[in-house]
Amino acid sequence: MAIAPAIALASIATPACSHDGSALAGGFLAGFAHPFGGFDHLLAMVAVGLWGAFLGRPLIVVLPVIFPTVMAIGALLAMVGLRLPPIELGIALSVLLLGGAIAGAVRAPIWAASLIVGIFAIFHGFAHGSELPSLADPLAYSVGFVLATGLLHVAGIALGLINRRPGGKMVTRGAGALIAICGVYFLYRASMG
Amino acid sequence: MTGGPFAPALLCAALGFALAFAPRGSVLPSLLGLVAAAMAMAFVPLAPAWRETAFLVCWATLILTAAMVHLPGGPGPKLALALGVGAGAAGGAIVSVAGVASDLLKALPWALLCVPGAWLVARGQGIAIKVASSWLIAVAILAAALPITPTPGYEPDHMQ
């Protein structure tokens, strides 16, 4: 059973793929690195997972499922050339509000939490989509940034597991407060921008 | 990355995730349907003009298949078989227009993700499969959009 994924991985790996001179590595790596390249993206992604873990089932599943899907739609909007309000403000607000929700232990109903995360996902997706490189491999770039985003959510959920320990909720709320403070800074920087 | 085994492999992975939630008895018929349909379609000579259509169908099939992880109780036997045949036909068509027959050997094993997936589901960890499926859906949405939308290229980053 355990070797099934190994067989699948081995079957698709091509030994020369990192040396063939194609844009594959650059596209994927650039996309994967993008969410890690800015603390605003990174903190928002982690906050989504952390808030989901704080809210428990079903939102621990729903939020990380909604975010990448809506984010892809946001990227699509960027690719067709739609204009949105300043993206930096939306992203900074996402960091501030998601951090604030964790710090304040806000137990939003399912629809509200989904709506909030969905709206912010559009801004993050829009930022990624407007930067999709046309010269590199855009599909590989997309795979990279979706994977990185998902892994950051998982990191947030993993951090949120500390809630189960005594005093864990205070630690989580403290982390949320730190994220919110960063959000204030991002918002200040974006408004000066 | 658009040619070769990549798109069929993602499609097979999506099928594997969906089958992780299916009744155990319906997995093998679905996998056999996948292999049979893929091999049949891979040898159907499709005109190059069908390339974009084949990819669009592939991504749409992937989104539909990956979304099945959210079906209460998972896909039943008939649906699982239909998903397998559909994934095979869509993947085979990609191989026909944008790859070589050996690409199937690299793509089809990804459907075996149903084995560790079912193991996770049986232990109440199906959440991981659902999250991973949403990643596949996101990639498919973007991949489907890329050929029909002009990408802006290297514009200044919002962080720059």
Side-chain angles (χ1 to χ4, degrees):
Chain A
M1 181 182 295
I3 62 168
I7 292 171
L9 282 169
S11 70
I12 200 161
T14 51
C17 67
S18 59
H19 304 289
D20 61 4
S22 75
L24 174 62
F28 176 81
L29 292 179
F32 191 83
H34 192 267
F36 296 96
F39 266 114
D40 49 358
H41 278 303
L42 192 148
L43 288 178
M45 301 304 112
V46 172
V48 167
L50 197 54
W51 196 30
F54 195 84
L55 294 170
R57 287 182 183 267
L59 285 166
I60 192 172
V61 186
V62 171
L63 297 188
V65 165
I66 282 179
F67 197 97
T69 310
V70 180
M71 184 179 74
I73 294 169
L76 193 67
L77 296 177
M79 285 191 279
V80 297
L82 201 82
R83 291 287 156 203
L84 279 187
I87 299 302
E88 299 84 355
L89 282 177
I91 291 172
L93 268 177
S94 72
V95 179
L96 173 60
L97 293 185
L98 288 170
I102 298 163
V106 175
R107 296 212 164 267
I110 295 171
W111 68 267
S114 304
L115 187 67
I116 291 168
V117 165
I119 289 171
F120 289 143
I122 287 181
F123 282 97
H124 286 269
F126 198 93
H128 291 307
S130 63
E131 293 149 12
L132 267 181
S134 55
L135 296 178
D137 187 336
L139 183 53
Y141 184 94
S142 307
V143 173
F145 89 68
V146 168
L147 185 62
T149 298
L151 290 177
L152 286 170
H153 291 157
V154 172
I157 292 172
L159 277 175
L161 294 180
I162 201 172
N163 285 334
R164 297 175 183 173
R165 295 178 178 275
K169 286 195 174 172
M170 288 308 294
V171 175
T172 306
R173 292 179 68 178
L178 285 176
I179 292 172
I181 290 168
C182 292
V184 172
Y185 167 71
F186 295 139
L187 198 59
Y188 169 76
R189 199 179 63 174
S191 60
M192 289 292 112
Chain B
M1 204 165 181
T2 50
F6 180 70
L10 287 184
L11 183 52
C12 289
L15 177 68
F17 290 155
L19 291 181
F21 291 88
R24 189 170 287 184
S26 59
V27 172
L28 188 60
S30 178
L31 291 178
L32 290 175
L34 167 78
V35 174
M39 290 180 70
M41 278 304 290
F43 293 103
V44 171
L46 291 176
W50 284 90
R51 182 187 167 98
E52 293 304 334
T53 306
F55 272 101
L56 200 58
V57 168
C58 176
W59 299 127
T61 307
L62 192 159
I63 291 169
L64 187 71
T65 306
M68 290 300 153
V69 299
H70 301 292
L71 205 64
K78 287 179 182 172
L79 184 54
L81 180 61
L83 290 174
V85 171
I94 295 295
V95 170
S96 174
V97 292
V100 291
S102 64
D103 287 337
L104 285 180
L105 295 175
K106 298 172 181 173
L108 293 177
W110 285 85
L112 294 176
L113 282 172
C114 64
V115 178
W119 185 82
L120 282 172
V121 171
R123 278 149 188 80
Q125 302 299 318
I127 173 178
I129 308 293
K130 291 181 177 179
V131 170
S133 291
S134 72
W135 299 353
L136 289 180
I137 290 173
V139 169
I141 291 172
L142 288 168
L146 283 170
I148 54 174
T149 54
T151 54
Y154 287 108
E155 290 186 347
D157 194 293
H158 72 286
M159 291 181 283
Q160 290 171 347

